[in-house]
């Protein structure tokens, strides 16, 4: 992993072994929104006869996906990340070159034996309709959301000691992951209860550990503890963004006034030289 | 995180936020925790000549319950002697604030902060006695 959140292709190439069977990559990362180069990764796998699986849960409706061209063998999709119903997903399985997978759910032999069980027709229709709308609106919607994202980042980035996590260009416009140094993420979320944001991922919200994604980018634990993920979407307006910027400016300022780390930073103390009592 | 009304009250209206000068006479400063763990508390006490804590200030980097725990102890130590302040237990803090189990460490940190502040005050007092 590089500092910008993109996979280091040279390191990936070096770590592929003769007995490597599968490479599995998230198309778009759920915490920092960066888009991996799945064409390049897929080509590396093809040359070596390795099966390539892509988790596209976060990318549908945000990044164009043409499976006729992409060197991808398996791709998973989820309906609810693209305004579809919860509890519905799909797996693309390439026929040529053929990928052989084994069923994990057995029974009546539904879906060509891949996954037995009665099909939830309403969920399937809901997912299909959500994806149809996403495809129709994606180009226009992405431009609109990119403008909002840029407006949000230009409002936040002029504050002191604020850092963007993940590459600015190679990311979906819907995500902005920001570290507000010297302010702890959970206390910040409590302070901005008018808006819904998240620190880390939903998968780890019950844990006190800092985000392993941000740690993998080389962020310090302190900055990882100080990060907030903003998500923009179909229903976000310019007024919402302006409100958010003002709210963050107020509350980050308030919390920094009560942060001993901010005080030390203002006094010119390098926090890395302090002997902390770990607990 | 589902917090009690007391935690939310202390978080939204923290008592005694601020700082005394570290070198001011009668001040003891305790700083506990680490940024990497997500909590750092700085607690300061002001002690009069009879050994009674007359005032307290805090600054905390941490979650809502860390801020609430430190805010609460600034209220509790005021008017207590140093020895009385040293008897405040984390269990009392956790009970008063109804902290969720995953946040008990915040109350432990607040107890540690009191001890560190009292020790710092005593250390500085004996150092100034020796030089006097």
């Amino acid at each position: 992993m590089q500092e910008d959140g993109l996979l280091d292709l040279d390191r990936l190439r070096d770590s592929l072994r003769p007995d490597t069977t599968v490479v599995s990559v998230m198309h778009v990362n759920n915490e920092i929104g960066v888009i991996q180069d799945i064409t390049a990764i897929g080509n590396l796998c093809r040359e070596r006869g390795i099966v390539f699986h892509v988790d596209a849960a976060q990318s549908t409706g945000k990044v164009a996906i043409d499976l006729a061209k992409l060197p991808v063998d398996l791709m998973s999709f989820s309906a609810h990340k693209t305004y579809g119903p919860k509890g519905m997903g799909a797996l693309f399985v390439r026929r040529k070159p053929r990928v052989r997978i084994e069923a994990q759910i057995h029974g009546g032999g539904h879906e060509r034996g891949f996954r037995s069980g009665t099909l939830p027709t309403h969920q399937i229709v809901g997912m299909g309709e959500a994806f149809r709308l996403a495809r129709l609106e994606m180009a226009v919607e992405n431009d609109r959301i990119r403008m909002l994202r840029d407006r949000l980042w230009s409002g936040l980035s002029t504050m002191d000691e604020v850092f963007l996590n993940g590459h600015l260009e190679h990311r979906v416009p819907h995500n902005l992951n920001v570290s507000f140094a010297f302010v702890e993420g959970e206390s910040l979320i409590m302070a901005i209860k008018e808006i819904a944001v998240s620190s880390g991922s939903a998968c780890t919200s019950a844990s006190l550990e800092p985000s392993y994604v941000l740690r993998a980018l080389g962020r310090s634990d302190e900055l990882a503890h100080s990060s907030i993920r903003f998500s923009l979407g179909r229903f976000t307006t310019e007024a919402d963004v302006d409100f958010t910027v003002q709210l963050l400016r107020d509350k980050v300022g308030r919390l920094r006034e009560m942060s001993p780390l901010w005080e030390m930073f203002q006094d010119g103390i390098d926090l890395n030289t302090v002997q902390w009592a770990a607990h | 995180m589902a917090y009690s009304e007391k935690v939310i009250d202390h978080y939204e209206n923290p008592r005694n936020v601020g700082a005394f000068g570290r070198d001011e006479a009668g001040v003891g400063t305790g700083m506990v925790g680490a940024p990497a763990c997500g909590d750092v508390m700085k607690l300061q006490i002001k002690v009069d000549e009879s050994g009674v804590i007359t005032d307290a200030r805090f600054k905390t980097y941490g979650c809502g319950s860390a801020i609430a725990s430190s805010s609460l102890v600034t209220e509790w130590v005021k008017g207590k002697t140093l020895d009385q302040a040293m008897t405040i237990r984390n269990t009392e803090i956790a009970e008063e604030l109804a902290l969720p189990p995953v946040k008990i460490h915040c109350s432990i940190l607040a107890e540690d902060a009191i001890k560190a502040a009292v020790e710092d005050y005593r250390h500085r007092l004996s150092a100034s006695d020796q030089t006097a």
Side-chain angles (χ1 to χ4, degrees), chain A residues 62-78:
Chain A
K62 304 181 178 78
V63 182
I65 297 170
D66 183 354
L67 282 163
K69 295 199 179 111
L70 286 170
V72 168
D73 300 308
L74 299 163
M75 191 177 262
S76 347
F77 305 98
S78 178

Side-chain angles (χ1 to χ4, degrees), chain A residues 12 28 36 55 59 75 95 110 120 134 139 151 160 192 201 203 207 209 212 234 239 247 265 269 275:
Chain A
L12 174 68
V28 170
Q36 301 294 346
D55 172 1
S59 58
M75 191 177 262
R95 283 224 182 103
H110 305 73
R151 192 180 178 92
D160 289 331
I192 53 174
S201 68
C203 328
S207 135
E209 292 298 310
Y212 66 83
R234 194 175 282 169
L247 189 68
F265 171 72
I269 298 170
Q275 189 70 43

Side-chain angles (χ1 to χ4, degrees), chain A residues 53 108 152 235:
Chain A
H53 168 258
L152 178 60
F235 308 108

Side-chain angles (χ1 to χ4, degrees), chain A residues 178-196:
Chain A
V178 181
S179 290
F180 298 89
F182 317 116
V183 173
E184 196 271 337
E186 191 210 282
S187 67
L188 184 54
I189 290 179
M190 279 176 78
I192 53 174
K193 52 182 184 291
E194 295 87 348
I195 62 170

Side-chain angles (χ1 to χ4, degrees), chain A residues 182-184 186-187 190-191 193 208 221-222 225-226 254-255 257-261 263-264 276-277 279, chain B residues 3 11-12 14 17 19 33-40 42 59-64 67 102-103 105:
Chain A
F182 317 116
V183 173
E184 196 271 337
E186 191 210 282
S187 67
M190 279 176 78
K193 52 182 184 291
L208 302 177
D221 281 342
E222 192 266 319
H225 273 297
S226 302
R254 173 182 173 271
L255 287 167
E257 282 309 308
M258 55 195 284
S259 164
L261 304 183
E263 182 183 75
M264 293 166 83
W276 302 99
H279 60 287
Chain B
Y3 280 137
Y11 171 75
E12 287 182 348
V17 175
C37 308
D39 322 84
V40 176
K42 191 184 90 170
K59 285 197 178 188
T60 289
Y61 164 87
C63 63
I67 290 171
V102 71
K103 297 291 186 180
H105 69 278

Side-chain angles (χ1 to χ4, degrees), chain A residues 195-255:
Chain A
I195 62 170
V197 294
S198 120
S199 66
S201 68
C203 328
T204 55
S205 60
S207 135
L208 302 177
E209 292 298 310
S211 154
Y212 66 83
V213 174
L214 298 184
R215 296 289 292 118
L217 306 190
R219 286 299 194 209
S220 68
D221 281 342
E222 192 266 319
L223 276 184
H225 273 297
S226 302
S227 72
I228 296 281
R229 169 167 56 117
F230 299 91
S231 304
L232 297 91
R234 194 175 282 169
F235 308 108
T236 311
T237 64
E238 202 172 282
D240 293 336
V241 170
D242 293 346
F243 176 80
T244 301
V245 168
Q246 195 50 52
L247 189 68
L248 262 298
R249 287 182 158 273
D250 289 352
K251 300 300 184 181
V252 169
R254 173 182 173 271
L255 287 167

